[in-house]
Amino acid sequence: MANKTLLAFCLIPTTFILAKTLSAQSVDLYPNAITDRMIHQETPMAVPVKNVVFSDPDFGSSMVRVTDSTTNFKVPGTFLRTGGSGENNEWSVDTGKFYVTGEGGRDFAFAFDPTTMAVSSLPNAGQGQGLLLPLRPGATFSFVDRDLIYGTSDPDTLTITSYRFSTNASTPIINTRNCGVQPPLGTSVVSDDDVSLSLDDDRVSISEGGSESGDHMFVVVYDKALGCRWYNTQTGRIGGQWGTNGQASVSAPYLIRHAYLSKSGNYVLIMVNWFGWYIWDLSTLNVSACALGSAEECAGYMSIGYNAIVNGPAIAGDMQVAKRPLRNINQIAQLVWPVPFDWDQAQHFTWSNVDVNDLIPACGSTYNYEGDTTINRPFAGEIFCVETDGLASTVWRFAHNRATYIPPYFQTQPLGGVSRDGRFFLFTSDWDAQLGTGTDGQPLSDVFIVKLD
């Protein structure tokens, strides 16, 4: 802790001076949001009724509960959650549809009215029910077609598939066994279901080759015009039908936890277990490593934008937010200054609303890893967005997420996804642990939406 505090004193004066010399952005994207740095205590609140809009009592934002214990009609009385990665786009491009994930690995899609915040059933769904998607968890909506979503399906998770809502039809996009990876994929391997897209939908990526998340060694990217490109992180070999083929610039082997395509389609974020992450410059052999414990501020959750990335390294404090271009991950800009000297709130980010200049705010949530719900500092247990243009250090604050993390239950973390227009945030909460325990013995959680304005 002493080292972190010392570094905090080194970082903050520089960024504070920068804040004084630059003007704030000309248009406030969220004019009704609170932007102070004060502590806002959480007002006790009973669990809201599903599909009834209410106001957060502390920040004033409109919210709605979109699931309850009946939503998963396949396994009633069990939890519902968001996708959780922050990278899988859970909203249609027109904000008219979203999906949630239930116990048993089932995704349920709903219609959404952005004007009234009403949630309703889609065509082909049962009355009052969510549409059970023929895709595995990790699906991502198209960025250009409001009627389309991409993902994987059983039993072959190595084939990337699209599903069209209006026709209720699934279409294979690419069987990655045909992408020519070396050595060839075995018969018992799976993918991580981490399908991600470029903003024009022209490229799609996935990681695969092992038996489960954390054991994969292939990143495969499919360009709809050029074909496949792949990277074997165990051998360092990069190949495919376009780009430079040969040995990656990083020689040490590693295994993949998740991999996500940048919205430009030019880079891949490769996440690993425990010791950092990598950026692959897709058309080249250049792979940059960001190692935990290094000066490059590589810790914390992160989200990839168009040609940049944001993360919460928690070196100067737990509300420190770092942004860097993917072409040079050592070029770090601090987005929040001064940073409070606290380290017990994890940040989780989502940036599906990003523009081609990486200047649209990144949004996220904070929560305590030990399940402590004490509000004794600014931003604790909140939903927020952070200014990314560098002109000022605005943090827009929208609501308390009321999530009590109960380790090791992933569904009790308030992980979320922002809509493409940046106006709605879908997140998971157990509502201060008031939802109780499900029929499967696990803590219950539900999905909520907060309006960002």
Side-chain angles (χ1 to χ4, degrees), residues 291-308:
L292 297 186
S294 69
E296 286 78 25
E297 302 181 12
C298 302
Y301 290 109
M302 64 206 70
S303 190
I304 195 166
Y306 195 77
N307 281 319

Side-chain angles (χ1 to χ4, degrees), residues 180-183 217-219 229-240 244-254 280 284-285 287:
V181 302
Q182 293 296 322
M217 71 290 299
F218 286 106
V219 179
R229 185 155 173 77
W230 54 266
Y231 169 27
N232 184 332
T233 61
Q234 283 292 282
T235 66
R237 183 72 181 172
I238 294 175
T244 306
N245 294 342
Q247 289 297 122
S249 59
V250 171
S251 58
Y254 59 93
W280 175 25
T284 75
L285 304 176
V287 179

Side-chain angles (χ1 to χ4, degrees), residues 129-298:
Q129 295 181 333
L131 175 64
L132 182 58
L133 294 177
L135 299 171
R136 290 171 55 84
T140 190
F141 273 99
S142 164
F143 286 111
V144 298
D145 188 336
R146 65 183 183 180
D147 195 39
L148 203 62
I149 190 170
Y150 293 82
T152 57
S153 57
D154 291 319
D156 181 15
T157 67
L158 300 184
T159 295
I160 298 173
T161 300
S162 68
Y163 171 76
R164 186 163 292 281
F165 288 87
S166 60
T167 60
N168 194 29
S170 297
T171 303
I173 301 299
I174 180 67
N175 182 344
T176 58
R177 289 187 183 278
N178 299 328
C179 282
V181 302
Q182 293 296 322
L185 294 165
T187 58
S188 60
V189 301
V190 298
S191 78
D192 194 51
D193 304 310
D194 50 356
V195 173
S196 59
L197 294 164
S198 58
L199 276 188
D200 57 11
D201 277 15
D202 285 346
R203 287 182 179 174
V204 58
S205 73
I206 197 168
S207 66
E208 60 190 25
S211 58
E212 59 183 358
S213 178
D215 290 337
H216 300 301
M217 71 290 299
F218 286 106
V219 179
V220 177
V221 178
Y222 175 65
D223 184 293
K224 293 178 180 178
L226 302 175
C228 295
R229 185 155 173 77
W230 54 266
Y231 169 27
N232 184 332
T233 61
Q234 283 292 282
T235 66
R237 183 72 181 172
I238 294 175
Q241 297 168 285
W242 51 278
T244 306
N245 294 342
Q247 289 297 122
S249 59
V250 171
S251 58
Y254 59 93
L255 291 172
I256 302 165
R257 182 160 57 94
H258 304 299
Y260 299 108
L261 189 65
S262 70
K263 306 303 186 296
S264 68
N266 294 327
Y267 301 90
V268 178
L269 164 65
I270 305 173
M271 303 170 68
V272 297
N273 287 323
W274 311 120
F275 58 91
W277 42 275
Y278 296 82
I279 297 294
W280 175 25
D281 186 345
L282 191 51
S283 65
T284 75
L285 304 176
N286 296 327
V287 179
S288 303
C290 207
L292 297 186
S294 69
E296 286 78 25
E297 302 181 12
C298 302

